[in-house]
Structures are given as C-alpha cells and as structure tokens.
Amino acid sequence: MACRDNEELQRFVEEAKKVAKDGKVASYIPALAKADQTDLSVAVYHVSNTCHSAGDVDKRFTLQSISKVLALAFVLSEEGPKKVFQFVGQEPTGDPFNSMIKLETASPNKPLNPMINAGALAVTSLIRGATPQDQLNRLIGFIRELANDKSITYCKETAASEFETSMINRAMCYYMKQYHIIRGNVEEVMDVYTKQCAIMMNSLDLAKIACVFSLDGRHPETGKQILSKDVARICKTFMVTCGMYNASGEFAINIGIPAKSGVSGGIMGAAPYDFGIGIFGPALDEKGNSIAGIKLLELMSEKYEMSIF
Ligand code: GLU
C-alpha cells in the first residue's frame, strides 16, 4: 500500500529534502551539473488510475539510466528474450554502472545485465530501424505510449553534452564490437543511446509508466495491454536485482519494490498490482541514487508496507 494523502506526501518530501545537502548532483555529464540540488518531487500513481503527488511535479528531468528499463522492454517485445539474452546476461555485477572490468573477466564476454551501461548499450544497438533517427523515433513512440503522453521528447542539450564527453561508454562499445556483441556503427549506437538517456519527463509521467509495470503491462489509464506480462516480469526482476546500482541488495531489504534509478536523480518504482512511483531529486548519494529520493521511500515504507518480500 502507498500514501493516498497529498498532505502527508508533502510532509515526507519536506523531511526527506533535509538530506539533499549531503548529496551531490552528477557532473560527469556537464549538462546535469546545472540541476538544483534541493529539488524533490514525487508522484504515486495507483492502479485504480488515481494519483497523489507532492513537490514540483511539473518539473521535467532526463531519464538517464531509467531509460534502460524502457529500452529493454521495447527490445524484448520486438525480439523476444531468447535473442536479447544472446547479447546481454541476467546477473547482477556488484560494480558501478559504468564499470567495464567484468566485460573482460566474465565469460562469455557479453555484459552481465541490461541495467549497467555496457548491457544497455548492447540493448540499444538491437533497436530496429533503418537509421539512428528511426531507432530513436521508434523508442520515443513506445515511451509516449507507456506514458500516454504524445509530447514526450528528449533534451538536445543533455544528449549532446553526454555524446561529446562519454568516452568510457564509447570504449565499452568498441570492446563489445570486437566480440560481435555490438554489430552496428559505434558512433550511431552512441548517438541513439545518449538521446535515449536524455528523454525527458516529469515525475507524474514516470509514476504512470511505472504503474504499467505494476499492472503486468496494462496501462492504468487506457486499459491497453502495452507490454506482455512476460516482458513486464523480466523488467521488474532486473529492477529488483540490479536497478539501484550496487545498492540494489540494500534497497531490496529496506524498501522492497522493483525500482530503477538514474544519475539525473530520478527513481521509478513499481509495486505490483498496487502503484507506480516517480521521484525526482537530483542530489545523489555515493552509489549514484537520489539521496533524498531514497530517504523519501524509507519514510514511506516506515509508514506503509511496501515491500513485496
Ligand atoms: N547516460 C548515463 C551514462 O551512460 C546514464 C547513467 C545512469 O543514469 O546510471 O553514463
């Protein structure tokens, strides 16, 4: 169960905001360094198609790693798990999201899971399309359907900022190309990936998308089955095992819902058959998760039984 009271949610936000000063906004993508450290917003989208929210829920932010779940859902829907898992594994790494160490030590050389950068790059390279623009448009079309919002687009400035500076991701792509995990042109994969990561929305859209996963792929607003139950299940399982970087185990114990975070400070959580939650708080803890966002979820889970375990 989750909060159904805007005022209570607002109190949680005020309390959680206090820890934002202990975090840092991401700066390795220069455009993200402009974020306001003190921002915190939350939306809870119930499966009954009602919503509660607090903070500046109109503020948009880029998805960053949260896009990995959505790209995975899209590619799994198109290609099926058998093909996708030829290129990316299903195991947590315990390493930071941009680590490349296991690319060399794991056997076979495929990335260990689709929630780390290497795995996400491999997944993005599988999106169908004649051109990178076509691939991106198809992914954005899918995300618009998930959010039931035709206005969703990406932030050109953030995408360019990452494209120009993202040398570790490029290096991993070239490494994977050597081993035929990535088959396309690396610069084109980087182009789609950085734009995918820069797709923007607000916490309300994010909560609604999360709710689609909570409902095994059915849209809470339109009733349409957008994902198969199986694809939703696979995505939620990855969210539990590796969605919160190398703090996923701790998060599973303390909060206990499938969730994915991104370095822009977003968190998407999906409590099965109950609610989806979207949070934006750009100050990050040392693992890369929104510090105030995690605090907010802790406060909520102290009051409500949220854990699926
Ligand atoms: N675009 C970011 C990167 O590839 C996403 C990382 C994240 O949010 O974890 O570095």
Side-chain angles (χ1 to χ4, degrees), residues 93-254:
T93 66
D95 297 324
F97 65 97
N98 57 357
S99 171
M100 57 171 85
I101 195 158
K102 293 217 170 71
L103 265 186
E104 197 175 8
T105 57
S107 175
N109 289 87
K110 65 182 178 185
L112 278 179
N113 70 68
M115 299 294 116
I116 50 172
N117 283 8
L121 287 157
V123 168
T124 295
S125 76
L126 294 172
I127 297 173
R128 289 184 195 169
T131 61
Q133 187 62 47
D134 195 22
Q135 291 175 293
L136 179 74
N137 289 346
R138 296 187 64 254
L139 177 66
I140 290 180
F142 171 71
I143 293 175
R144 286 178 176 169
E145 212 185 345
L146 283 172
N148 195 25
D149 180 349
K150 289 193 175 63
S151 70
I152 283 177
T153 184
Y154 72 96
C155 171
K156 290 201 170 92
E157 187 202 341
T158 309
S161 174
E162 182 172 15
F163 186 83
E164 283 155 19
T165 54
S166 195
M167 299 310 150
I168 296 177
N169 284 342
R170 251 186 199 85
M172 290 196 283
C173 283
Y174 281 108
Y175 188 88
M176 289 189 283
K177 193 166 165 71
Q178 179 79 47
Y179 291 98
H180 312 291
I181 300 291
I182 283 182
R183 291 169 174 172
N185 175 297
V186 167
E187 293 308 310
E188 290 184 359
V189 175
M190 286 296 299
D191 180 45
V192 181
Y193 175 78
T194 49
K195 288 174 179 163
Q196 161 197 317
C197 288
I199 292 172
M200 280 184 297
M201 62 182 68
N202 60 30
S203 24
L204 192 58
D205 289 320
L206 193 60
K208 205 190 291 178
I209 291 180
C211 199
V212 177
F213 287 94
S214 307
L215 282 171
D216 290 341
R218 188 168 61 77
H219 202 285
E221 223 170 13
T222 65
K224 194 171 159 198
Q225 190 76 31
I226 297 178
L227 304 170
S228 72
K229 189 172 174 182
D230 209 35
V231 167
R233 178 184 62 80
I234 294 170
C235 292
K236 277 182 284 190
T237 312
F238 276 125
M239 286 160 78
V240 169
T241 56
C242 23
M244 300 300 285
Y245 304 119
N246 39 331
S248 298
E250 195 182 328
F251 186 87
I253 289 171
N254 292 342

Side-chain angles (χ1 to χ4, degrees), residues 54-66:
D56 186 1
V57 276
D58 290 327
K59 192 150 202 173
R60 290 190 302 167
F61 51 93
T62 60
L63 289 178
Q64 299 303 329
S65 269
I66 300 172

